[in-house]
């Protein structure tokens, strides 16, 4: 079965107003028992400026946007052309605009969508304190089948402080829009559902990231603001304080990473969040955390690069720097979240991995999932808590402590400052077992082996990848992907299966260290594969080629950001692979 | 008052590791290592409750020569490591050691903000006006006409960085200058620096006998500052702006700003409460 859903965009020059309208609609949809996903796109302006809220509603959980939108509701047309590529419209789509702002710009009409007028400004003008935004929301509700009571509940909650008059004015405008929808051309309506049977959350990827690290045990965060990671930090600052932790705003990313190294050396699990430019600045000190064996987590909410790139838009192009960016041979962990709720799972897991292996763990998320809000089934409780192997006292009284002792697992008991008899110096210089600087080949070899061994011998369980087969089986075709591209890939798999196709989705969560044996098992019987990623140079495909045995017929489907893949783009590639095999 | 018995609990040697320093014979840093260990003994701090953090350079080797907890990080980033450590572990006494290049060039931004943030740290900078570990290049405190480096054979032509003036302007809460030729005063001032709340900056004139042999004359040039410290930042600024860099052996400035400590709401909240905000 393919997903029964409706997709729409609210756009306008109201800046945050459009996103607020989208949020109200998302909350009302949740109230109505639907599932929802809302992404936002905004121009470079700091305040105001053009913005668009992209929403998709369904009666079951959704992980991706559709290939096109059923409806574009434009409060006005200012600069909307800048988004036209992000708002694919087809012949069955409907553009609703306000005649007060003139005709729709040509940039939106390439897919020959239907057009209709809704005099939002005029209708709102007839209501005391009526706003065109609420008229638009009413019309949307009427078009997609959202019950007005759901919006009533949301508006009452959000405008509670402004008083009953404000609530009444908003709802009057909403109802006027709702009534006007009867005269608009139809788009698909979603069926009403009974009250939700399972507990659900409304959460953004960046919030889930913050919650994940706190659940994992992080209690110290140092960070420098950067789009699109700032919300992780803004959520963490008050939340950490509530559980006895703290967030420090650092002077730059060099300071962020080194502050968390200091805190973690002090025994307090620590993390920072940043985006590509900040990660670039942190790289040298990530190597220090590798050499000194200091556990920590760095979240990179990826945006379009290189350089400043497009700060507000998404791309999966920091894979190379995350995996290969460090100088020297520097074994470290790289994991990637593959959906909004998975930001919670993956960051919590990352804290667990970093602490268990006393190594830095990089978590890759991106703007698309970080700044998206989703209505999702309540995420499961996870058992991952950061647990560090610590040293309590000298094995033999007076015996000198070996911070970097050789062990079978490669992990050495770590003495936390304050522990008697175990003082030592942790060092970024190559060292011997005691931590004493050494330039001897044998010490370098032994320490390199140890730092590598602790990562390669670790039991990552089933979490290294999400592996999902279509209901009818895996067949001999696979989609291999990671991160945000997993959403549309999942939906492509469903559409493929609905048409009778069999395929397997492999979404890698553990990017490094690589898992060739597990991948070989996952690719058992697979003869064809498509590798999907949002990178101009196909970084993921090249990495797979370097480390894994891929099926003989493996094609790469990749492009740079900020446009995400639609499910049909991936489906088309699957069909082509299949046709090629006939 | 602490009893005399407690003060005699530790000797300076209890804070030294048995590692032999890599420094050149005659290097000023030997005296600094001695003074630090003497100061720790004077304060009777258990070695496991002290941490020394450093970056890269000759003087940044100090942590490994001590028997306290040490962290030897990357070039220029000792102050942020120490900041994170002290904030996460306020129970520890945290010292930072390093040189003029590490602290004022590559780590310059952290120096400004460490002074500004005023975390309770003691920063001991061994200033020899040269990059010794890379064999003799001009540092941020080198005079503009020093022609001893192949990198800048005509001199840098740039006025030297003024660590104490910049430190004061940036908010350091304790400022002192000492000379490695005066170990007794150095240890005494380090004790004061460690005891003073907030960010304490101690500049040590520590000659590089190998690449700046002329600095051995410093022992004859330095003089004990004639005035005692002030708690008036404006007065301290005037003194520092007019001083020739050789007034040593006394504390120059003591401020009374409370040390930085992030708001610590700790409401004993639970993660479950945080999660509840997402529930529909």
């Amino acid at each position: 079965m393919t997903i029964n859903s409706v997709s729409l965009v609210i756009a306008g020059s109201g800046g945050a107003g459009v996103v607020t309208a989208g949020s109200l609609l998302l909350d009302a949809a949740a109230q109505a028992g639907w599932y929802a996903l809302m992404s936002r796109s905004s121009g470079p302006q700091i305040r105001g400026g053009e913005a668009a809220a992209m929403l998709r509603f369904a009666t079951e959980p959704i992980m991706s946007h559709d290939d096109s939108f059923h409806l574009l509701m434009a409060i006005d047309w200012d600069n909307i052309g800048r988004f036209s590529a992000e708002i694919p419209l087809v012949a069955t789509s409907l553009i609703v605009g306000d005649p007060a702002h003139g005709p729709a710009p040509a940039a939106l009409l390439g897919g020959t969508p239907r057009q209709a007028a809704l005099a939002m400004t005029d209708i709102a003008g007839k209501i005391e304190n009526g706003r065109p935004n609420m008229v638009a929301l009413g019309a949307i509700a009427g078009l997609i089948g959202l019950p007005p009571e759901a919006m009533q509940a949301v508006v009452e909650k959000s405008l509670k402080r402004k008083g009953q008059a404000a609530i009444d004015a908003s709802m009057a405008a909403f109802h006027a829009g709702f009534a006007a929808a009867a005269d608009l051309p139809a788009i698909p309506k979603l069926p009403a559902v009974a009250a939700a049977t399972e507990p659900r959350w409304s959460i953004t990827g960046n919030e889930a990231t913050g919650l994940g690290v706190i659940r994992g045990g992080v209690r110290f965060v140092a960070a420098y603001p950067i789009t699109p990671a700032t919300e992780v930090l803004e959520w963490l600052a008050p939340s950490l304080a509530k559980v006895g932790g703290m967030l420090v705003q650092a002077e730059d990313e060099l300071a962020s990473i080194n502050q968390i190294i200091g805190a973690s050396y002090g025994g307090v699990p620590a993390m920072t969040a940043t985006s590509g430019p900040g990660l670039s600045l942190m790289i040298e000190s990530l190597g220090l955390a590798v050499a000194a064996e200091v556990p920590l987590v760095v979240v990179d909410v990826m945006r379009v690069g290189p350089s400043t790139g497009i700060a507000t838009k998404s791309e999966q192009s920091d894979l190379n720097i995350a995996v290969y960016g460090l100088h020297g041979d520097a074994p470290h962990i790289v994991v990637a979240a593959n959906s909004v709720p998975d930001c919670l799972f993956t960051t919590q897991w990352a804290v667990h991995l970093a602490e268990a292996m006393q190594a830095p763990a990089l978590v890759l998320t991106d703007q698309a999932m970080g700044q998206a809000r989703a209505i999702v089934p309540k995420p499961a409780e996870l058992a991952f808590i950061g647990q560090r192997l610590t040293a309590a006292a000298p094995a033999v009284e007076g015996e000198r402590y070996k911070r970097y002792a050789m062990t079978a697992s490669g992990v050495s008991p770590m003495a936390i400052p304050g522990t008697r008899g175990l003082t030592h110096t942790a060092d970024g210089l190559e060292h011997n077992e005691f931590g004493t600087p050494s330039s001897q080949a044998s010490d370098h070899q032994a320490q390199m082996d140890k730092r590598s061994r602790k990562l390669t011998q670790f039991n990552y369980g089933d979490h290294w990848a999400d592996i999902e087969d279509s209901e009818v089986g895996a067949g001999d075709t696979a989609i291999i992907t990671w991160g945000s591209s997993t959403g549309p890939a999942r939906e492509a798999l469903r559409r493929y299966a609905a048409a009778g196709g069999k395929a397997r989705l492999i979404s890698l969560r553990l990017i490094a260290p690589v898992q060739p044996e597990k991948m070989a098992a996952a690719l058992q019987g697979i003869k064809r594969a498509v590798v999907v990623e949002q990178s101009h140079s196909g970084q993921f495909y090249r990495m797979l080629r370097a480390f894994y045995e891929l099926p003989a017929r493996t094609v790469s489907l990749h492009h740079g950001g900020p446009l995400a893949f639609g499910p049909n783009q991936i489906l088309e590639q699957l069909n082509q692979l299949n046709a090629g095999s006939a | 008052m602490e009893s005399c018995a407690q003060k005699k609990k530790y000797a300076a040697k209890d804070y030294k590791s048995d590692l032999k320093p890599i420094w050149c014979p005659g290097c000023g840093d030997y005296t600094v290592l001695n003074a630090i260990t003497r100061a720790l003994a004077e304060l009777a701090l258990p070695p496991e409750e002290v941490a020394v953090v450093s970056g890269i350079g000759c003087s940044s080797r100090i942590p490994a020569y001590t028997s306290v907890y040490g962290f030897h990080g990357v070039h220029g980033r000792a102050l942020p490591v120490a900041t994170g450590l002290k904030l996460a572990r306020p129970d520890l006494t945290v010292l930072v050691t390093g040189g003029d290049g590490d602290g004022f060039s590559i780590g310059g931004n952290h120096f400004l903000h460490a002074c500004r943030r005023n975390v309770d740290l003691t920063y001991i900078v061994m200033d020899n006006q040269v990059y010794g570990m890379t064999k003799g290049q001009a540092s941020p405190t080198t005079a503009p006409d020093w022609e001893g480096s192949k990198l800048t054979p005509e001199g840098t032509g740039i006025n030297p960085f003024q660590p104490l003036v910049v430190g004061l302007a940036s908010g350091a809460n304790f400022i002192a200058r000492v000379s490695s030729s005066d170990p007794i005063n150095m240890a005494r001032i380090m004790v004061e620096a460690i005891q003073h709340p907030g960010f304490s900056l101690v500049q040590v004139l520590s000659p590089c006998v190998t690449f700046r042999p002329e600095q051995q004359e410093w022992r004859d040039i330095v003089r004990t500052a004639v005035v005692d410290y002030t708690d008036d930042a404006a007065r301290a600024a005037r003194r520092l702006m007019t001083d020739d860099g050789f007034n040593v052996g006394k504390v120059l400035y003591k401020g009374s700003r409370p040390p930085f400590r992030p708001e610590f709401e700790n409401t004993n909240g639970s993660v479950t409460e945080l999660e509840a905000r997402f529930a529909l």
Side-chain angles (χ1 to χ4, degrees):
Chain A
M1 279 286 289
T2 54
I3 293 176
N4 182 17
S5 71
V6 58
S7 297
L8 60 94
V9 180
I10 311 172
S13 59
V18 166
V19 178
T20 306
S23 300
L24 288 173
L25 199 56
L26 184 96
D27 292 350
Q31 191 75 29
W34 293 348
Y35 289 89
L37 175 69
M38 179 176 85
S39 309
R40 64 191 215 206
S41 189
S42 49
Q45 299 89 336
I46 303 307
R47 215 174 169 82
E50 69 280 7
M54 288 93 161
L55 296 112
R56 188 178 186 199
F57 302 106
T59 51
E60 61 181 299
I62 31 181
M63 293 297 175
S64 163
H65 281 295
D66 209 341
D67 292 87
S68 61
F69 289 92
H70 297 105
L71 172 68
L72 164 61
M73 179 65 71
I75 312 293
D76 60 48
W77 307 111
D78 288 358
N79 292 324
I80 199 170
R82 289 185 192 170
F83 293 133
S84 55
E86 293 169 57
I87 310 174
L89 299 171
V90 295
T92 51
S93 305
L94 174 66
I95 297 183
V96 177
D98 190 337
H101 296 291
L108 295 171
L109 305 178
T112 63
R114 298 173 293 157
Q115 296 189 56
L118 178 66
M120 294 172 248
T121 314
D122 283 357
I123 296 172
K126 291 181 185 125
I127 299 161
E128 197 182 337
N129 292 325
R131 288 171 183 274
N133 277 4
M134 288 308 297
V135 177
L137 287 185
I140 292 170
L143 285 168
I144 67 174
L146 179 75
E149 307 81 64
M151 186 59 82
Q152 177 85 36
V154 169
V155 167
E156 276 176 13
K157 197 176 165 195
S158 73
L159 293 182
K160 200 174 171 185
R161 270 194 228 150
K162 294 194 175 173
Q164 193 58 42
I167 294 170
D168 292 345
S170 281
M171 286 312 295
F174 176 86
H175 281 292
F178 192 85
D183 300 327
L184 293 171
I187 60 167
K189 276 186 162 61
L190 275 189
V193 291
T197 50
E198 58 174 356
R200 292 171 307 151
W201 281 12
S202 169
I203 195 165
T204 69
N206 280 344
E207 290 168 345
T209 295
L211 180 60
V213 296
I214 286 186
R215 288 220 297 207
V218 164
R219 292 295 180 268
F220 184 91
V221 175
Y224 188 74
I226 185 168
T227 305
T230 309
E231 296 95 345
V232 176
L233 312 169
E234 288 176 341
W235 186 85
L236 275 169
S239 303
L240 274 167
K242 286 197 172 67
V243 294
M246 75 176 86
L247 180 142
V248 180
Q249 183 175 332
E251 57 269 28
D252 55 30
E253 286 90 347
L254 304 162
S256 314
I257 180 80
N258 281 283
Q259 281 194 23
I260 69 169
I261 288 173
S264 178
Y265 169 73
V268 177
M271 71 84 71
T272 186
T274 187
S275 191
L279 179 64
S280 300
L281 290 176
M282 293 179 186
I283 291 292
E284 183 197 14
S285 298
L286 275 168
L288 169 61
V290 170
E293 301 198 41
V294 178
L296 52 86
V297 171
V298 175
V299 175
D300 172 13
V301 186
M302 296 181 289
R303 65 192 219 188
V304 174
S307 188
T308 317
I310 309 176
T312 54
K313 301 194 187 221
S314 205
E315 196 167 71
Q316 294 181 279
S317 52
D318 290 350
L319 184 86
N320 280 354
I321 186 176
V323 175
Y324 312 112
L326 285 66
H327 67 267
D329 290 310
H332 62 286
I333 304 152
V334 182
V335 294
N338 65 20
S339 71
V340 170
D342 191 57
C343 288
L344 196 164
F345 179 95
T346 296
T347 51
Q348 186 172 349
W349 190 44
V351 179
H352 168 76
L353 296 179
E355 291 287 322
M357 287 180 264
Q358 298 177 18
L362 267 163
V363 182
L364 299 174
T365 71
D366 60 32
Q367 182 273 334
M369 71 172 90
Q371 295 190 329
R373 177 171 291 281
I375 308 295
V376 296
K378 182 188 174 193
E381 293 290 331
L382 305 173
F384 308 128
I385 300 294
Q387 268 180 333
R388 205 181 288 188
L389 181 64
T390 54
V396 179
E397 187 62 37
E399 192 178 71
R400 194 173 162 208
Y401 167 63
K402 289 180 173 174
R403 166 64 188 99
Y404 304 106
M406 288 304 139
T407 60
S409 69
V411 178
S412 322
M414 179 174 180
I416 306 300
T419 314
R420 273 193 76 172
L422 301 182
T423 57
H424 65 278
T425 291
D427 211 314
L429 277 171
E430 190 55 285
H431 41 255
N432 61 19
E433 288 183 279
F434 297 104
T436 305
S438 167
S439 50
Q440 289 184 42
S442 56
D443 284 327
H444 181 53
Q445 176 80 39
Q447 292 295 324
M448 276 309 312
D449 287 348
K450 159 188 161 43
R451 292 188 292 252
S452 167
R453 182 166 73 238
K454 65 182 183 178
L455 266 63
T456 51
Q457 290 188 357
F458 191 83
N459 179 9
Y460 298 92
D462 294 335
H463 310 303
W464 73 283
D466 282 348
I467 300 171
E468 295 155 19
D469 293 350
S470 44
E471 295 103 354
V472 282
D476 56 9
T477 305
I479 309 172
I480 310 174
T481 189
W482 73 289
S484 266
S485 293
T486 304
R490 277 197 168 111
E491 191 151 345
L493 188 73
R494 279 182 65 155
R495 292 181 188 179
Y496 191 62
K502 294 180 183 177
R504 167 171 291 173
L505 171 76
I506 303 171
S507 171
L508 263 68
R509 182 175 287 106
L510 182 63
I511 305 293
V514 293
Q515 303 294 310
E517 286 173 17
K518 287 180 170 164
M519 181 68 101
L523 289 173
Q524 196 79 42
I526 301 293
K527 295 195 179 114
R528 287 173 287 279
V530 54
V531 177
V532 186
E533 63 183 305
Q534 196 186 24
S535 146
H536 187 270
S537 60
Q539 295 179 13
F540 182 59
Y541 172 73
R542 284 168 208 290
M543 185 181 174
L544 293 177
R545 272 267 177 252
F547 294 106
Y548 296 105
E549 293 293 332
L550 297 179
R553 186 158 156 69
T554 298
V555 297
S556 171
L557 177 61
H558 62 91
H559 63 57
L563 299 183
F565 285 99
N568 281 351
Q569 281 176 282
I570 301 167
L571 179 66
E572 206 171 287
Q573 192 61 247
L574 282 176
N575 287 332
Q576 273 179 26
L577 267 182
N578 214 18
S581 69
Chain B
M1 284 296 289
E2 285 170 317
S3 70
C4 288
Q6 193 183 351
K7 290 226 161 160
K8 281 182 186 153
K9 234 163 94 180
Y10 296 99
K13 65 173 174 43
D14 294 331
Y15 297 92
K16 274 192 189 166
S17 76
D18 44 20
L19 216 61
K20 191 177 171 295
I22 56 161
W23 299 321
C24 309
C27 175
D29 295 352
Y30 284 103
T31 319
V32 181
L33 176 61
N34 285 338
I36 289 173
T37 56
R38 204 180 295 188
L40 294 174
E42 171 70 23
L43 289 163
L45 293 166
E48 66 271 14
E49 291 174 17
V50 179
V52 182
V53 178
S54 69
I56 295 296
C58 296
S59 52
S60 292
R61 289 284 187 141
I62 278 187
Y65 304 145
T66 70
S67 67
V68 302
Y69 278 94
F71 194 92
H72 186 202
V74 298
H75 197 24
R77 317 290 165 223
L79 286 170
V81 170
T83 298
L85 176 59
K86 179 67 187 179
L87 290 175
R89 291 291 307 279
D91 56 312
L92 300 173
T93 297
V94 181
L95 313 186
V96 187
T97 58
D100 39 301
D102 186 72
F104 307 138
S105 192
I106 189 168
N109 193 35
H110 307 309
F111 174 61
L112 298 184
H113 291 276
C115 293
R116 212 187 121 224
R117 196 176 278 118
N118 198 32
V119 171
D120 191 9
L121 301 170
T122 300
Y123 185 29
I124 298 161
V125 188
M126 284 145 270
D127 189 350
N128 57 11
Q129 305 175 358
V130 75
Y131 286 92
M133 190 159 265
T134 49
K135 308 210 186 298
Q137 296 79 29
S139 89
T141 50
T142 303
D145 57 354
W146 181 67
E147 298 174 350
S149 165
K150 286 180 195 162
L151 265 188
T152 50
E154 311 292 324
T156 64
I158 313 170
N159 282 343
F161 184 84
Q162 301 294 322
L164 302 192
V165 176
V166 174
L168 179 73
S170 306
N173 213 29
F174 176 105
I175 293 173
R177 187 190 291 125
V178 296
S179 165
S180 68
S181 58
D182 182 7
I184 303 297
N185 266 325
M186 198 193 307
R188 183 182 55 77
I189 284 175
M190 281 179 189
V191 168
E192 271 195 76
I194 293 168
Q195 285 177 323
H196 194 77
F199 188 79
S200 299
L201 171 63
V202 181
Q203 181 191 25
V204 186
L205 302 183
S206 181
C208 176
V209 293
T210 302
F211 298 105
R212 304 294 306 265
E214 71 280 12
Q215 289 174 345
Q216 289 177 86
E217 291 166 17
W218 281 356
R219 65 168 62 242
D220 304 320
I221 302 172
V222 295
R223 67 191 88 82
T224 303
V226 289
V227 287
D228 286 330
Y229 78 85
T230 174
D231 56 7
D232 178 342
R235 183 173 295 170
R238 272 195 303 279
R239 284 184 191 166
L240 288 171
M241 295 288 286
T242 51
D243 126 330
D244 65 354
F246 290 105
N247 290 316
V248 298
K250 277 194 179 159
V251 178
L252 300 163
Y253 171 73
K254 277 188 189 179
S256 54
R257 253 180 352 119
F260 172 83
R261 187 95 193 111
E263 281 305 312
F264 215 91
E265 191 182 341
N266 197 357
T267 50
N268 291 319
S270 68
V271 178
T272 317
E273 283 169 42
L274 296 178
E275 291 177 353
R277 288 187 270 156
F278 298 118
L280 288 169

